[in-house]
Amino acid sequence: MNFNYKKIIFSFGIAATVVSCSKLDEYNPSGSTSDEVFKTPQGMLTLVNACYVDQRNYYGKEDAILMSEGGTDLWFNANRASYANQLTRYEAFTSVSSGTSRNSYTTFYRGLNLCNAGIERIPNVTYPTVAERNQREGEMRFMRAFYLMHIVKFYGGVNLKLTETKEPNYMAYRSTPLEFYKQIITDLELAAEYLPNSWGSEASRATKKSALGLLARAALEAGYSATGAEAQTYFTKARDVAKSVIDRKDEFQVKLWDNYADLWDPAKNKQVGRVAGGEALYYITNTKENLASNYDGNANRMHLWFLTQYSNKIAGLTQTQDYGNDNQRRLMPTRTLLDYYNESIDGRYNGTFQEVWIANVNYTWTATDAARYGKNSSIVGTQVRAGIDTIMMITKKSVANKSARTYMVFDRDSSFNANGTIKGSDVFVPLQKFKYPYRTAVNAQPGFNDIFLIRFAEMYLIAAEAEIQLGNTANAAQYVNVIRTRAAIKAPVNQTAAMQVTAAQMTLDFILEERAREFAGEHLRWFDIARIKNQNNFASFIKAKNPDITAVQDYHRLRPVPQEELNALLNAEEFGQNLGY
């Protein structure tokens, strides 16, 4: 898929939910109006392509990480900084305080409006074949469901807008979350019917497996919004759709990769979604070969935000391509997240985090540095060889005899207080999943990794969670054990048997932990907690797991509707703000 973002122009009015208009200049050779342009397959294709734009405006950017991972049990502000406190600590979080939350609201509704415009107009377009027409509608249905999922998850039952906004409309009405999910499911069922298994060489378009993956998520969420027999129907659907993706893995040319760490090897990044036998059901593409096809010059900056401060520590360790640009640190792992892993049997810990740094400059220990890092004077004069010797270790464990080791050691006791709060050191165990060692310079920001939004592994955990809700814990354990078999360390001792779980262990809290181990940092954590923890235990769960977050309240399970959106409504009082804001 080749997007020319510089030629796609959006102009929106007072409020994204109620006032918007759009102009696309990509295909307009004769100065025709958009209504005329979009009556042709070529013109409609520009509108289909435009439907993807706002997800690229969100994912790979800072807003997505803060909205979807911040403020959970897994992460806190790196170095205890005060950055984005509304989302990371829930402090002074109001309808006007968080630019990130406001920006995201507008982004999702803007993308939704483009999808609505295309879905309304495509019946009037004459295509060479019905299949081509259906495929394009399938893309827009998928993207509409994608935006609606984000709107309802973050903001709850707000305005379920299903028609194009062409002129000012100062009235808006709420729908229930379940009404959102019913529409999302309808769109995704049609998308799954219409979309092809593959677009060939065109990367990052929605496919049949993408629609089914998102459908499994939506049905699971719907189960939590419904009650009684209706909830059981949705949980059954979530299980069945996830199972269908698993059963059809050969048809979809998707599989679990043998080694979890390989998913995050930057040299293999493009294979995970684009190559037959990859693990991504849906991904956002970024490329350094054709910069115009990315949303902007920074493309994917996820490689920046989970890194620790490693440079400027000691003369034997300088900023490098492989270790990353550590100048924009945002989030550090909590002790809870690190302790979710049993790293002696679970390979996902080393596949997710980095604990050891090899010197990249020859170095000889000085008396000054020995004193600075609490070393015995006996190590003064010890040589550390570049490319061979360890210069720094940051670990979740407590380390004995730190003073005698010929490298810097920052351990559990250096990072955390006894109660699990963070001491505030500028070093911590960093997440390394998103590393990008191919930057144009060591301190460059742009990254061009693809972003995996739905992985095949999630189908097993969705099926397991649904089975728990249906009372089938033995079945749930079977699904989880597939994931844990892949995750098990295989050498020098095969830990597969030790990684297996039983039906008795199958609880929703276990699923929350397992999803953390599998998907840490992958834009899912806030959704998971908001789904599984209800309005009576959302805050208590976060406070218990992340004791640095003290201001969170149960109403924070939703973000506020931006105040400027309410100000634009004539029926603002009727529409109302989300509870608590």
Side-chain angles (χ1 to χ4, degrees):
M1 177 164 38
N2 183 12
F3 295 113
N4 191 332
Y5 296 109
K6 295 178 181 178
K7 292 184 179 180
I8 298 177
I9 302 173
F10 305 105
S11 174
F12 287 83
I14 298 172
T17 53
V18 293
V19 184
S20 72
C21 60
S22 64
K23 182 177 75 172
L24 283 78
D25 291 334
E26 170 119 7
Y27 178 78
N28 196 355
S30 62
S32 303
T33 66
S34 60
D35 285 333
E36 293 172 332
V37 171
F38 297 146
K39 287 181 180 179
T40 69
Q42 287 176 294
M44 180 55 65
L45 181 57
T46 51
L47 188 49
V48 172
N49 287 349
C51 290
Y52 288 92
V53 170
D54 277 298
Q55 70 171 0
R56 288 161 169 77
N57 178 27
Y58 180 73
Y59 283 102
K61 314 304 179 190
E62 191 174 82
D63 283 359
I65 288 295
L66 292 172
M67 286 282 286
S68 60
E69 295 285 333
T72 68
D73 56 330
L74 306 188
W75 310 101
F76 195 65
N77 304 58
N79 311 344
R80 297 193 59 86
S82 58
Y83 192 82
N85 277 352
Q86 300 92 345
L87 292 167
T88 60
R89 306 181 190 220
Y90 302 96
E91 293 176 358
F93 195 6
T94 70
S95 60
V96 297
S97 65
S98 172
T100 294
S101 182
R102 298 200 311 276
N103 293 343
S104 300
Y105 189 94
T106 302
T107 294
F108 301 141
Y109 270 107
R110 184 172 57 212
L112 173 63
N113 196 55
L114 287 164
C115 297
N116 287 337
I119 292 169
E120 286 180 5
R121 295 164 189 259
I122 201 168
N124 300 319
V125 181
T126 301
Y127 279 90
T129 66
V130 173
E132 182 182 349
R133 177 222 172 274
N134 287 350
Q135 287 173 352
R136 297 309 180 192
E137 181 175 349
E139 289 185 88
M140 293 186 289
R141 293 275 183 173
F142 174 86
M143 286 310 307
R144 181 162 77 175
F146 181 93
Y147 292 122
L148 288 173
M149 278 276 285
H150 287 71
I151 290 168
V152 70
K153 281 299 298 180
F154 282 128
Y155 306 101
V158 285
N159 188 14
L160 179 56
K161 188 73 173 144
L162 299 177
T163 58
E164 181 188 6
T165 300
K166 300 179 180 179
E167 58 186 24
N169 177 2
Y170 299 101
M171 305 289 283
Y173 302 93
R174 284 181 174 262
S175 295
T176 66
L178 189 56
E179 287 170 329
F180 267 82
Y181 288 119
K182 287 179 178 179
Q183 180 60 50
I184 290 165
I185 289 170
T186 296
D187 280 343
L188 290 172
E189 288 176 333
L190 195 61
E193 177 185 347
Y194 282 174
L195 286 169
N197 281 354
S198 170
W199 290 96
S201 61
E202 289 192 82
S204 196
R205 289 193 182 279
T207 61
K208 194 178 296 292
K209 65 187 177 186
S210 309
L212 290 171
L214 194 59
L215 177 58
R217 275 188 192 173
L220 185 67
E221 294 283 359
Y224 286 87
S225 294
T227 58
E230 188 176 24
Q232 296 293 287
T233 298
Y234 284 119
F235 289 130
T236 300
K237 187 177 189 67
R239 187 266 320 275
D240 291 347
V241 173
K243 183 177 184 298
S244 75
V245 177
I246 295 168
D247 292 343
R248 297 168 69 182
K249 62 181 182 294
D250 291 337
E251 173 191 345
F252 295 145
Q253 295 188 310
V254 65
K255 67 178 183 179
L256 291 178
W257 278 25
D258 292 338
N259 185 358
Y260 181 83
D262 284 347
L263 293 168
W264 313 109
D265 181 344
K268 300 176 181 178
N269 173 264
K270 305 302 181 188
Q271 301 174 37
V272 178
R274 302 186 187 190
V275 177
E279 187 164 323
L281 300 179
Y282 184 64
Y283 65 97
I284 291 177
T285 185
N286 290 279
T287 175
K288 61 181 178 180
E289 285 75 28
N290 182 7
L291 296 179
S293 68
N294 300 315
Y295 178 81
D296 59 22
N298 281 324
N300 174 10
R301 291 186 292 153
M302 291 171 63
H303 62 95
L304 297 170
W305 298 313
F306 294 96
L307 295 185
T308 188
Q309 177 74 57
Y310 72 88
S311 62
N312 302 318
K313 284 293 176 188
I314 201 166
L317 190 58
T318 61
Q319 194 174 73
T320 65
Q321 290 282 14
D322 187 55
Y323 289 157
N325 178 354
D326 59 350
N327 293 327
Q328 290 196 25
R329 303 174 304 281
R330 294 290 181 256
L331 297 176
M332 65 174 289
T334 59
R335 191 174 72 177
T336 290
L337 172 56
L338 299 177
D339 286 350
Y340 279 153
Y341 297 86
N342 180 350
E343 68 279 5
S344 64
I345 63 174
D346 192 337
R348 288 175 296 190
Y349 182 77
N350 288 328
T352 300
F353 300 102
Q354 179 178 355
E355 286 202 343
V356 174
W357 284 254
I358 303 299
N360 47 42
V361 177
N362 287 328
Y363 170 71
T364 300
W365 273 97
T366 66
T368 299
D369 283 341
R372 179 185 179 189
Y373 293 109
K375 297 296 185 183
N376 291 338
S377 59
S378 60
I379 76 163
V380 175
T382 301
Q383 293 183 344
V384 182
R385 298 163 295 174
I388 299 174
D389 297 326
T390 297
I391 187 68
M392 182 169 72
M393 172 186 284
I394 310 174
T395 177
K396 62 175 282 190
K397 299 177 181 178
S398 294
V399 177
N401 301 318
K402 287 183 285 188
S403 63
R405 297 175 187 256
T406 57
Y407 47 85
M408 297 179 288
V409 178
F410 302 93
D411 68 351
R412 182 185 194 87
D413 306 312
S414 304
S415 300
F416 302 103
N417 296 306
N419 66 353
T421 55
I422 294 163
K423 287 186 174 180
S425 170
D426 62 354
V427 290
F428 48 84
V429 179
L431 179 137
Q432 64 170 353
K433 279 183 176 180
F434 309 128
K435 66 190 301 184
Y436 186 73
Y438 310 120
R439 303 180 306 284
T440 56
V442 294
N443 62 347
Q445 293 188 31
F448 301 99
N449 277 341
D450 289 348
I451 304 167
F452 315 139
L453 293 188
I454 309 176
R455 287 203 284 114
F456 185 48
E458 190 180 356
M459 297 302 99
Y460 291 91
L461 294 181
I462 285 175
E465 186 175 335
E467 291 282 33
I468 290 171
Q469 291 286 11
L470 294 168
N472 303 324
T473 54
N475 292 345
Q478 290 179 1
Y479 284 116
V480 171
N481 281 333
V482 174
I483 298 301
R484 292 178 68 84
T485 295
R486 189 266 293 274
I489 292 173
K490 305 301 191 298
V493 177
N494 191 326
Q495 300 290 347
T496 300
M499 281 286 284
Q500 303 305 290
V501 293
T502 67
Q505 293 172 267
M506 290 298 96
T507 65
L508 293 178
D509 280 341
F510 179 90
I511 291 295
L512 264 180
E513 291 187 15
E514 191 66 17
R515 287 183 67 92
R517 288 184 281 266
E518 183 70 26
F519 302 120
E522 296 181 50
H523 302 104
L524 290 173
R525 193 55 178 181
W526 197 87
F527 294 152
D528 291 343
I529 296 175
R531 176 180 69 254
I532 292 176
K533 297 299 178 180
N534 62 34
Q535 61 269 23
N536 298 317
N537 56 27
F538 174 83
S540 60
F541 174 81
I542 291 176
K543 288 178 180 178
K545 300 293 185 178
N546 191 345
D548 283 291
I549 296 179
T550 59
V552 62
Q553 303 295 324
D554 284 324
Y555 69 79
H556 287 133
R557 192 165 170 259
L558 294 178
R559 315 300 198 190
V561 176
Q563 190 60 44
E564 57 264 41
E565 301 291 330
L566 295 176
N567 292 344
L569 294 175
L570 295 177
N571 66 330
E573 185 174 349
E574 176 188 6
F575 188 83
Q577 179 56 270
N578 285 338
L579 182 68
Y581 297 100

